[in-house]
């Protein structure tokens, strides 16, 4: 949007004409006395007409620059206070178990269910800085904290099982996530830990990592993934098994309690989606926003034109003289 900040400056536009019309011309004494004026001396020269036109344009440009023309860009919304949220996802071998039954009755593996639900959850976290930590036999920071939700979604979608071992380093995953918050100035720092087993690897115990997180004012929400019943086919026929028998719910519950969070249990994709809806309510998105519009000052353009015209006028006067 184009606008003049000091639009009142245009009131000065007639000032040049008023000075020209009512001020008395300065009479210079003639250097020589001629008995007769040369022919055409009293006629207006074409050169003087162009000079008047350019002087008029010069004055318009000066007044236009004084009026401070600006161009405002599209409004930009900024969240003054953001939340930092890290998603810690288990990539151990057990995440390949196909015990998550969709509403259509299809069996999918645990990681696929997590990807589907988390992608929607990430899309809704507008205004939060998100990051992604992956852990199996070891843990590493896959995506640093960023406002770019699309990048986090893409990094999550590209995750595959078997890259970092088959065991589960829950404590190391929490430790890496907590360490990421060291330089964070966000008033709220949250970790959502998703796992389907017990801590079987890593250099730090989960409860020790949870204690460090609590000391750093980090809230941890833990989610246990996996069905409690599954039909397993074998040589002797079908039998019911519990594919989540290795899930350490007691430890995950204690981790959440130590940091002021909660533990949730997801036995199918529908429960997993409901859990993330609950977390979304517990950690509501910050709706406070500030709006600003980028502004570009344009006075330099009419000022440059005025300078160019003044040079041309000076050159014309010198040439005529």
């Amino acid at each position: 949007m184009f606008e003049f900040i000091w639009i009142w400056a245009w009131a000065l536009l007639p000032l040049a004409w008023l000075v020209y019309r009512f001020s008395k011309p300065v009479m210079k004494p003639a250097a020589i006395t001629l008995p007769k004026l040369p022919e055409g001396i009293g006629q207006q020269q074409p050169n003087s007409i162009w000079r008047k036109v350019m002087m008029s344009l010069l004055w318009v440009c000066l007044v236009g620059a004084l009026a401070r023309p600006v161009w405002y860009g599209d409004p930009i919304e900024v969240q003054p206070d953001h939340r930092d949220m890290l998603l810690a996802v288990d990539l151990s071998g057990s995440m390949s178990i196909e015990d998550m039954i969709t509403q259509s009755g299809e069996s999918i593996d645990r990681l696929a269910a997590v990807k589907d639900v988390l992608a929607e959850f990430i899309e809704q976290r507008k205004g939060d800085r998100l990051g992604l930590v992956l852990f199996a036999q070891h843990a590493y920071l896959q995506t640093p904290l960023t406002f770019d939700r699309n990048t986090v979604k893409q990094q999550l979608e590209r995750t595959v099982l078997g890259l970092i071992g088959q065991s589960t380093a829950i404590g190391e995953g929490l430790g890496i996530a907590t360490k990421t918050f060291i330089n964070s100035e966000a008033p709220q720092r949250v970790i959502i830990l998703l796992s389907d087993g017990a801590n079987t690897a890593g250099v730090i115990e989960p409860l020790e990592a949870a204690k460090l997180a609590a000391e750093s004012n980090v809230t941890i929400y833990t989610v246990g993934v996996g069905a409690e019943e599954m039909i397993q086919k074998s040589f002797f026929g079908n039998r019911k098994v519990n594919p989540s028998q290795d899930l350490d719910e007691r430890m995950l519950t204690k981790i959440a309690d130590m940091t002021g969070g909660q533990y949730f249990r997801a036995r199918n994709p529908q429960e997993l989606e409901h859990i993330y809806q609950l977390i979304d309510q517990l950690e509501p998105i910050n709706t406070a926003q500030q709006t600003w519009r980028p502004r570009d000052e344009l006075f330099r353009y009419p000022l440059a034109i005025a300078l160019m015209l003044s040079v041309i006028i000076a050159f014309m006067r010198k040439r005529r003289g």
Side-chain angles (χ1 to χ4, degrees), residues 87-122:
L87 308 173
V89 179
D90 189 347
L91 287 186
S92 59
S94 55
M95 290 292 288
S96 62
I97 299 176
E98 297 182 358
D99 62 345
M100 304 296 282
I101 309 299
T102 64
Q103 288 182 335
S104 61
E106 180 185 1
S107 297
I108 60 175
D109 63 70
R110 296 171 179 177
L111 182 60
V114 169
K115 285 182 178 181
D116 290 342
V117 177
L118 265 186
E120 184 178 352
F121 178 78
I122 292 170

Side-chain angles (χ1 to χ4, degrees), residues 117-133:
V117 177
L118 265 186
E120 184 178 352
F121 178 78
I122 292 170
E123 184 63 32
Q124 296 173 354
R125 302 308 300 185
K126 183 179 180 181
D128 290 345
R129 278 204 313 172
L130 299 178
L132 180 63
V133 172

Side-chain angles (χ1 to χ4, degrees), residues 24 50 58 79 93 122 138 151 158 168 200 235 252 275 304:
K24 294 181 179 180
W50 281 107
L58 172 72
Q79 282 74 25
I122 292 170
H138 299 289
T151 297
R158 292 171 183 171
T168 310
T200 56
F235 180 77
L252 294 176
I275 287 169

Side-chain angles (χ1 to χ4, degrees), residues 69-247:
V70 295
W71 175 264
Y72 291 100
D74 295 331
I76 297 176
E77 294 181 352
V78 179
Q79 282 74 25
D81 293 324
H82 64 271
R83 177 190 295 102
D84 283 348
M85 181 176 291
L86 272 169
L87 308 173
V89 179
D90 189 347
L91 287 186
S92 59
S94 55
M95 290 292 288
S96 62
I97 299 176
E98 297 182 358
D99 62 345
M100 304 296 282
I101 309 299
T102 64
Q103 288 182 335
S104 61
E106 180 185 1
S107 297
I108 60 175
D109 63 70
R110 296 171 179 177
L111 182 60
V114 169
K115 285 182 178 181
D116 290 342
V117 177
L118 265 186
E120 184 178 352
F121 178 78
I122 292 170
E123 184 63 32
Q124 296 173 354
R125 302 308 300 185
K126 183 179 180 181
D128 290 345
R129 278 204 313 172
L130 299 178
L132 180 63
V133 172
L134 304 176
F135 63 92
Q137 187 171 349
H138 299 289
Y140 65 94
L141 180 64
Q142 175 72 9
T143 310
L145 290 167
T146 176
F147 286 110
D148 189 352
R149 303 191 306 279
N150 289 330
T151 297
V152 181
K153 285 174 58 178
Q154 291 173 3
Q155 294 294 335
L156 176 66
E157 184 62 32
R158 292 171 183 171
T159 56
V160 293
L161 298 172
L163 289 179
I164 47 178
Q166 301 294 319
S167 51
T168 310
I170 295 177
E172 195 169 318
L174 287 177
I176 294 293
T178 303
K179 184 180 178 181
T180 308
F181 290 129
I182 289 179
N183 297 322
S184 171
E185 297 180 356
Q188 293 176 278
R189 288 168 283 185
V190 179
I191 296 174
I192 300 178
L193 174 74
L194 190 144
S195 179
D196 67 344
N199 189 72
T200 56
V203 296
I204 183 173
E205 291 297 321
L207 297 183
E208 184 180 350
K211 182 180 178 182
L212 294 174
E215 293 174 353
S216 301
N217 296 321
V218 176
T219 304
I220 301 176
Y221 294 94
T222 54
V223 181
V225 181
E228 293 180 344
E229 289 185 0
M230 179 181 178
I231 302 299
Q232 189 177 66
K233 296 180 180 181
S234 65
F235 180 77
F236 300 100
N238 297 337
R239 62 188 183 112
K240 271 186 182 180
V241 296
N242 180 10
S244 300
Q245 59 183 352
D246 295 330
L247 179 62

